[in-house]
Amino acid sequence: MWAVAGRSQEHAIDTGKSVMTVRVYKAGVLSAFGHDHKIAAPIAGGKVDKTARIVELHVNAAALEVRDAKGSDKDHAEIQNTMAGPQVLDVKSHPEIVFRSTGAKPGSNDAWTVSGNLTLHGQTRPITVEVREQNGHYVGASLLNQTDFGIAPVKVAGGAVRVKNEVRIEFDIQLAR
């Protein structure tokens, strides 16, 4: 993934073919009445510099869209409004999600551990992302806690059905040619 060379290897991210997916899971005594959520958005911009081992990703928070297989259109609209609203992402106050790498360590089988800072909900925290090259794409994932970014996990029915604090962020990135 990170070729060592004497000159810049910076490439823009292909925003038409790159996506970030967030997986949110249910919890609570009555969690059988809820369901897990799949939320996705295109990567709005960014770059990868293979020589400098730098990755930068930008996502428009308002572009995140509920893509659940379960639930009605009405349920999806309610989840979408809650997610975008002040209770969760507050996309009007915090319109962009940004990841900027601070380092990368090679692993095995074209895999890397990429460290960096994620800005979400107006707060920046360090995270680690496991990345690998797969068929010309860079794919990876990281787990994070919503509360680390000032987001209180959603609760309904007095907390009998709630969203887990830990969410999984996945991405599939293709570089522009």
Side-chain angles (χ1 to χ4, degrees):
M1 178 174 171
W2 308 104
V4 178
R7 61 188 197 322
S8 177
Q9 294 289 320
E10 187 173 301
H11 298 278
I13 291 171
D14 185 334
T15 58
K17 296 179 181 176
S18 300
V19 66
M20 178 183 80
T21 302
V22 181
R23 298 195 185 271
V24 181
Y25 303 102
K26 64 185 177 179
V29 175
L30 300 177
S31 64
F33 295 102
H35 57 274
D36 298 334
H37 302 297
K38 178 181 176 183
I39 301 160
I43 303 291
K47 63 184 177 183
V48 173
D49 186 323
K50 296 177 182 182
T51 303
R53 297 183 177 182
I54 294 173
V55 177
E56 185 173 311
L57 306 174
H58 297 263
V59 175
N60 177 351
L64 283 162
E65 178 181 285
V66 176
R67 296 186 180 170
D68 293 345
K70 296 181 180 179
S72 67
D73 289 344
K74 181 183 176 206
D75 290 342
H76 293 176
E78 288 176 11
I79 295 163
Q80 184 77 36
N81 287 336
T82 300
M83 175 188 65
Q87 185 180 358
V88 182
L89 291 177
D90 194 4
V91 300
K92 289 184 180 175
S93 297
H94 310 291
E96 190 172 51
I97 300 166
V98 178
F99 174 78
R100 288 185 177 95
S101 65
T102 57
K105 294 180 184 175
S108 60
N109 300 328
D110 294 323
W112 288 81
T113 300
V114 179
S115 302
N117 292 311
L118 177 67
T119 301
L120 170 66
H121 195 246
Q123 299 195 25
T124 303
R125 300 285 182 266
I127 67 167
T128 302
V129 183
E130 299 301 320
V131 181
R132 71 185 184 289
E133 185 179 3
Q134 182 178 333
N135 300 323
H137 292 241
Y138 296 105
V139 295
S142 184
L143 297 173
L144 60 92
N145 290 320
Q146 296 178 75
T147 53
D148 291 345
F149 294 89
I151 300 170
V154 174
K155 296 178 186 179
V156 295
V161 179
R162 66 184 190 281
V163 169
K164 285 185 177 180
N165 185 30
E166 185 178 73
V167 298
R168 179 178 169 88
I169 308 278
E170 302 170 346
F171 62 87
D172 182 340
I173 295 172
Q174 188 167 343
L175 302 181
R177 299 190 188 268

